[in-house]
Amino acid sequence: MLRKLYDGVFALARSRHATPALALVSFAESSVFPIPPDVMLAPMILARPERAYFYAAVCTVASVLGGILGYAIGFFLTDVGLALMRLLGHADGLAQFRAWFDDWGLWVILIKGLTPIPYKLVTIASGLAAFSFPVFLGASIVTRGGRFFLEAWILKRWGPAMLAQVEKRLALWAGAGLVVLVGAVVVLKLL
């Protein structure tokens, strides 16, 4: 089922409704949708490199707005937020999320916002933990914008050759990213 959804989003990236669809996918992915907007962003940039930064801006704005929805779900609809977290494999409970954000709040958002780890985990957990909304918003803008604009720059500069290498070694890149993330958390924990 997930593969069909992934393929459907990829096909939508080539349609005449691609830009509004990109905004919708970016918005929804930040709170409930399982497919990241990169699936649309990359082929759209490759098709029209002159619009790379426009597409990155659309992704950023929509993702941050979706993140606000995710935060609101966690903050105002605690039971729904906890149910979504359990569905996403994080059933640690409200006390665990609050402790997590008390200890690492800003770092959690900064690290996870740049990685392929589902951003909806960060947004909902931030609301559940009642983490500072202004700090959450600022970190979301920085990390989501950083991620999407970096992707736009890479694809605009190196285009299909770079994308082919990333897709060819996707497992390696994901593994390396996970090692860096775990290492960063361990180092921060030791400090």
Side-chain angles (χ1 to χ4, degrees):
M1 181 180 118
L2 198 56
R3 182 62 191 192
K4 283 185 182 183
L5 190 57
Y6 179 91
D7 291 340
V9 169
F10 195 81
L12 190 55
R14 293 186 222 121
S15 77
R16 65 185 178 102
H17 303 293
T19 301
L22 176 64
L24 181 63
V25 168
S26 296
F27 178 85
E29 185 270 338
S30 293
S31 52
V32 295
F33 194 61
I35 305 297
D38 311 77
V39 173
M40 292 186 68
L41 181 61
M44 289 172 68
I45 291 171
L46 292 173
R48 298 196 57 199
E50 74 280 1
R51 294 184 56 94
Y53 300 121
F54 169 74
Y55 294 143
V58 167
C59 250
T60 301
V61 170
S63 182
V64 170
L65 291 174
I68 292 170
L69 174 62
Y71 185 98
I73 289 170
F75 190 82
F76 295 111
L77 305 171
T78 303
D79 291 338
V80 174
L82 287 171
L84 286 170
M85 296 301 279
R86 277 191 299 278
L87 184 66
L88 295 167
H90 296 274
D92 298 317
L94 185 55
Q96 177 62 36
F97 291 120
R98 287 193 174 134
W100 191 34
F101 275 88
D102 285 344
D103 291 342
W104 304 106
L106 179 61
W107 288 104
V108 169
I109 297 168
L110 290 174
I111 291 169
K112 288 190 178 238
L114 287 169
T115 66
I117 292 171
Y119 187 56
K120 67 190 105 326
L121 294 175
V122 173
T123 66
I124 295 169
S126 294
L128 285 170
F131 186 70
S132 168
F133 181 75
V135 173
F136 165 79
L137 186 59
S140 293
I141 291 167
V142 167
T143 60
R144 299 311 272 180
R147 174 181 167 177
F148 297 132
F149 278 89
L150 178 63
E151 186 174 339
W153 178 75
I154 288 170
L155 289 170
K156 184 175 179 168
R157 181 154 170 103
W158 289 291
M162 177 58 127
L163 185 61
Q165 287 300 314
V166 168
E167 287 179 350
K168 182 178 177 182
R169 294 182 173 85
L170 189 57
L172 176 66
W173 286 105
L178 186 59
V179 167
V180 168
L181 178 65
V182 169
V185 169
V186 168
V187 167
L188 290 173
K189 197 77 160 164
L190 294 174
L191 296 174

